[in-house]
Amino acid sequence: MDSDDRPRRSGLLDVGDGNDVYWEEWGAADGVPALYVHGGPGGALGASAYRERFDLGATRVVGFEQRGCGRSTPHAGDAKASLATNDTPHLVADMEALRVHLGIDAWVINGVSWGSTLALAYAQEHAARVLGVVLYAVTTTSRSEVDWITEGMGAIFPEAWDRFAGHAERAGIGYRRGEARLVEAYARLLESPDPQVRDAASREWALWEDTHVSIGAGGFHRHPRWDDDRFRHAFARLTTHYWSHDGFCDPPILERMNRLRSIPATLVHGRRDISSPVTTAWRLHRSWPGSELLVDEGDGHGGTSMTARWYAANAALVARVRRQHRSEPPAP
């Protein structure tokens, strides 16, 4: 990253339980605050390209890396790092601690893929601190969503799923397809004390990940991020940890939508997203009177057209917040 292309501010926030969460700021210091929530579980901010989805002249953009990810410590790629306090309630508390730390009264929330689940969980817990929501590649991490992405999609990719399930069956942990959840089998493998077992499971998980996003991505492509062993181990470990517990969302997101009735939202989803079918975004929209659903007919779990809609949704929401702020009477 060039010296002229660095965040305006960044740091590590001590959020307790021995965890420090990395955060960074881009854009206008006096702009409308907005928080970006990355995907995964186990993703990271990467080269911070997310900032390009905002008008930086009008927005104070904050990004952070979730517990166990990226520059946050301890890192879940280290088998010795405990996941005992790595769950959705703790991540929501981390987000709120970051808001307080940065002196932000309320902010726009953006969430991508798994990040949309976490964004929804935060908004449901802290609705008074949310100016609006933009979700991209919408998920709620319900049991049915997890079972579809790890089991049901075997009907679409039978050869790849046979390899995926077969690895767990041959691993000697007693898993048999049709008798137990495959995601739980992989969660066990990724907690194995044997580093070779963990490594092999992470590679199979990465292969399945690339497979199930391939339809909307123009075909199968091996993502270069998997070359980073530390990243791959953390991603697979955290994803299976969260998915085997239905996202640690209790009650499920869709059963708590009454908390968001007054919050405006835009949901951007690809029609060709086979791993996260549009039915989830549709159900969320139907239960959220203040939401708008934009279904992109050409994209899958992301894409150029969807990204343009994402930027436009943020620009419209920030403009709306600024208009409301100008129309409010001054505080006494």
Side-chain angles (χ1 to χ4, degrees):
M1 193 173 289
D2 297 333
S3 59
D4 295 333
D5 202 22
R6 291 173 178 160
R8 188 168 52 79
R9 293 201 303 160
S10 64
L12 285 170
L13 177 64
D14 182 350
V15 291
D17 309 311
N19 285 272
D20 290 299
V21 169
Y22 172 80
W23 61 271
E24 60 185 33
E25 269 194 36
W26 302 85
D30 60 350
V32 174
L35 178 69
Y36 169 75
V37 188
H38 67 70
L45 298 180
S48 304
Y50 69 90
R51 69 189 189 277
E52 298 169 4
R53 316 310 175 214
F54 301 85
D55 176 359
L56 296 181
T59 316
R60 177 186 176 188
V61 181
V62 178
F64 77 106
E65 291 177 324
Q66 297 156 30
R67 291 189 182 204
C69 305
R71 287 152 286 191
S72 295
T73 60
H75 196 273
D78 179 355
K80 296 179 181 178
S82 172
L83 301 185
T85 60
N86 200 316
D87 56 33
T88 299
H90 280 91
L91 298 186
V92 167
D94 294 348
M95 294 159 70
E96 180 63 1
L98 180 58
R99 181 193 66 78
V100 173
H101 175 71
L102 296 178
I104 293 171
D105 182 64
W107 45 11
V108 170
I109 306 295
N110 271 225
V112 173
S113 192
W114 150 255
S116 61
T117 295
L118 184 51
L120 287 164
Y122 175 86
Q124 289 178 341
E125 191 67 26
H126 299 285
R129 300 301 182 181
V130 179
L131 299 170
V133 175
V134 176
L135 304 181
Y136 178 97
V138 180
T139 70
T140 67
T141 317
S142 64
R143 176 166 288 233
S144 62
E145 289 170 74
V146 172
D147 286 348
W148 165 255
I149 204 170
T150 56
E151 313 259 1
M153 281 205 310
I156 312 297
F157 303 103
E159 309 96 325
W161 191 82
D162 183 63
R163 171 174 172 157
F164 186 45
H167 177 82
E169 285 183 320
R170 293 187 297 272
I173 57 173
Y175 166 78
R176 293 292 180 270
R177 66 187 78 187
E179 298 178 5
R181 298 181 80 201
L182 183 53
V183 68
E184 293 175 358
Y186 268 89
R188 289 168 60 192
L189 291 173
L190 287 155
E191 291 297 334
S192 169
D194 186 336
Q196 293 184 333
V197 170
R198 296 195 304 271
D199 186 68
S202 75
R203 292 180 186 277
E204 293 298 327
W205 189 269
L207 180 60
W208 180 246
E209 178 84 11
D210 284 343
T211 299
H212 69 67
V213 300
S214 64
I215 289 181
F220 178 85
H221 301 282
R222 184 182 181 280
H223 201 293
R225 62 182 177 170
W226 306 126
D227 292 335
D228 182 338
D229 291 349
R230 189 166 181 261
F231 173 86
R232 188 182 66 253
H233 290 175
F235 187 99
R237 186 184 182 202
L238 285 168
T239 300
T240 56
H241 172 65
Y242 275 82
W243 285 8
S244 62
H245 290 90
D246 305 326
F248 293 100
C249 296
D250 185 21
I253 293 289
L254 284 167
E255 294 181 14
R256 297 182 288 173
M257 291 307 297
N258 62 307
R259 302 183 184 187
L260 305 183
R261 299 186 69 85
S262 62
I263 296 176
T266 301
L267 318 178
V268 183
H269 205 85
R271 180 73 72 189
R272 299 185 183 185
D273 189 342
I274 191 68
S275 54
S276 300
V278 72
T279 185
T280 297
W282 172 248
R283 291 179 64 202
L284 188 68
H285 168 60
R286 289 292 297 268
S287 63
W288 196 346
S291 70
E292 174 187 20
L293 174 61
L294 303 177
V295 178
D296 192 294
E297 299 295 337
D299 281 344
H301 201 66
T304 302
S305 181
M306 280 178 65
T307 297
R309 290 172 181 261
W310 179 8
Y311 181 94
N314 273 320
L317 183 52
V318 166
R320 174 177 176 170
V321 171
R322 289 165 69 93
R323 286 195 303 272
Q324 289 176 338
H325 181 73
R326 285 196 297 267
S327 65
E328 291 175 356

